[in-house]
Amino acid sequence: MKQFFSVNDITSLSQAVQSALTSKQSPFADEALGKHKTIGLVFLNPSLRTRMSTQKAAMNLGMNVMVMNMTSDGWALETKDGVVMDGNTAEHIKEAAAVMGEYCDILGLRSFPGLKDADEDYSEELFGKFAKYCGKPVVSLESATRHPLQSFTDLITIVEHFDYQYDSVQEKLVPQGKKPKVVLTWAPHVKALPQAVPNSFAEWMCRAQAEGLVDFVVTHPEGYALKEEFTTGATVTTNQDEALADADFVYVKNWSSYEDYGQITCTDKSWMLTLDKLEATNNAKVMHCLPVRRDLVIASEVLDSEHSIVVQEAGNRVWAAQAVLKEMLKNQ
Ligand code: CP
């Protein structure tokens, strides 16, 4: 594996999940793989889970880890080509990425969208340039439009909390009985947030649905449709109650409008997930990528209940990252 930007970089979801769960059983089984290899984790935005889980995964594989928080510790980066750098930016991404490639065998990058210009954000130009100029395998720690390590984690967590068997002859996960109904629901927020997590979750769940692993439903208010390429094959509805009926997993997330790009066009608090709403589900497990604002996005009564698996989900970030880094190291 030379890059991990999206679900398209995974050949088999079943085998990827199995690899992650194998690492969870034996975290240090592959510690020789990363000996004398270095990963650089580059953050242009804040992080708790991505930073610590990827660092831990790399250490489990015997790697050296360097973390660079660009906004507090690095030079201000220029990302555009052909500009005279007489403003506030001190270093061009061309040199910065190339230099990091000199120090590291694998690089990770987090860079959020500006949420001003959809075409610019969805071009993923910054990621493309970073990958090109560093010349090393790059893992997305969340880009403008996707958060694949989170979505991989989410699939692992769903598999762990439902009845699947791994058929080792066909190398496929097989749900025992009916497939789980997985619902992605929009929730209110006071800030305009990126679409990266819901885009990515939807993309992974659509693929999982195509591979016979889940049934997938997306629900959001009018005006919050995700870009179509991420939801192909999903059932999409603006009726949250209808979507939640018989759900086995409810994935809660706010996102800003794609149609009215980067704007908050709905503040309807009734979209917050409560225990009352969960009555209609199949005793659903509740998921969120975190951080989550209590009693705005999800009611505390839900987060503090048996429904919530958000902490176990965050714990699985390590195994998703470890499965990806294992594949990258095997190719080195
Ligand atoms: N879910 C997630 O990516 O968390 P952080 O932003 O804290 O890394």
Side-chain angles (χ1 to χ4, degrees):
M1 187 187 284
K2 290 282 184 206
Q3 63 168 36
F4 184 65
F5 288 171
S6 81
V7 72
N8 298 324
D9 297 313
I10 296 281
T11 311
S12 158
L13 290 187
S14 290
Q15 288 170 31
V17 169
Q18 197 60 14
S19 169
L21 292 175
T22 302
S23 288
K24 189 170 182 175
Q25 289 295 316
S26 306
F28 308 112
D30 299 299
E31 64 187 336
L33 263 183
K35 193 175 177 199
H36 298 156
K37 301 283 184 190
T38 299
I39 187 169
L41 303 176
V42 182
F43 288 88
L44 276 63
N45 311 94
S47 168
L48 187 163
R49 281 142 290 271
T50 306
R51 175 178 166 157
M52 293 184 74
S53 62
T54 311
Q55 189 162 359
K56 179 161 173 148
M59 291 190 300
N60 287 349
L61 291 165
M63 300 187 81
N64 298 310
V65 185
M66 297 195 290
V67 178
M68 185 72 193
N69 297 311
M70 286 301 286
T71 45
S72 56
D73 302 336
W75 299 105
L77 272 188
E78 179 57 62
T79 60
K80 300 278 176 231
D81 294 323
V83 293
V84 177
M85 287 171 58
D86 58 358
N88 291 327
T89 54
E91 177 153 36
H92 200 278
I93 191 167
K94 222 168 181 172
E95 283 80 39
V99 168
M100 290 182 205
E102 293 286 315
Y103 304 146
C104 301
D105 302 286
I106 296 175
L107 280 154
L109 177 67
R110 166 167 283 198
S111 173
F112 289 173
L115 290 181
K116 301 247 178 317
D117 180 335
D119 290 342
E120 183 176 322
D121 290 344
Y122 277 72
S123 76
E124 294 284 13
E125 192 185 356
L126 180 68
F127 256 80
K129 283 185 176 169
F130 187 82
K132 178 177 167 189
Y133 297 132
C134 79
K136 293 290 163 69
V138 174
V139 54
S140 167
L141 305 174
E142 187 171 345
S143 72
T145 65
R146 289 178 173 90
H147 194 354
L149 282 176
Q150 180 65 52
S151 315
F152 183 13
T153 300
D154 299 331
L155 178 61
I156 294 164
T157 308
I158 288 167
V159 169
E160 262 192 329
H161 286 85
F162 204 76
D163 193 8
Y164 289 91
Q165 292 290 323
Y166 188 70
D167 179 333
S168 50
V169 177
Q170 292 191 67
E171 299 189 293
K172 278 197 68 159
L173 284 162
V174 183
Q176 304 299 288
K178 82 168 192 62
K179 290 172 276 184
K181 178 178 176 182
V182 179
V183 178
L184 166 63
T185 180
W186 184 90
H189 207 284
V190 288
K191 295 184 98 175
L193 299 188
Q195 294 110 30
V197 169
N199 279 347
S200 200
F201 184 74
E203 187 173 55
W204 280 69
M205 287 302 120
C206 286
R207 170 89 175 266
Q209 181 169 263
E211 295 190 12
L213 298 176
V214 302
D215 286 325
F216 183 48
V217 178
V218 184
T219 184
H220 55 72
E222 294 286 352
Y224 277 83
L226 295 168
K227 196 175 186 195
E228 210 177 322
E229 68 181 82
F230 296 99
T231 56
T232 305
T235 301
V236 182
T237 172
T238 54
N239 185 330
Q240 191 191 40
D241 291 337
E242 192 179 282
L244 291 177
D246 298 321
D248 295 293
F249 294 91
V250 181
Y251 196 93
V252 190
K253 187 69 185 85
N254 168 269
W255 62 89
S256 59
S257 173
Y258 174 73
E259 291 172 29
D260 198 356
Y261 192 67
Q263 299 301 305
I264 298 173
T265 58
C266 174
T267 54
D268 182 354
K269 289 187 167 64
S270 74
W271 278 81
M272 179 177 77
L273 191 69
T274 60
L275 280 180
D276 270 357
K277 286 177 188 275
L278 286 171
E279 290 281 317
T281 68
N282 186 24
N283 196 25
K285 297 295 183 196
V286 174
M287 303 175 68
H288 188 284
C289 61
L290 303 181
V292 64
R293 292 187 182 223
R294 284 173 165 252
D295 299 311
L296 175 69
V297 177
I298 303 178
S300 288
E301 63 185 16
V302 173
L303 287 165
D304 295 333
S305 77
E306 293 291 316
H307 289 284
S308 173
I309 53 169
V310 297
V311 174
Q312 296 94 317
E313 182 185 356
N316 281 336
R317 291 292 305 270
V318 176
W319 315 116
Q322 197 158 324
V324 169
L325 295 181
K326 259 193 302 190
E327 286 308 307
M328 287 187 166
L329 286 168
K330 280 178 192 166
N331 290 341
Q332 295 225 328

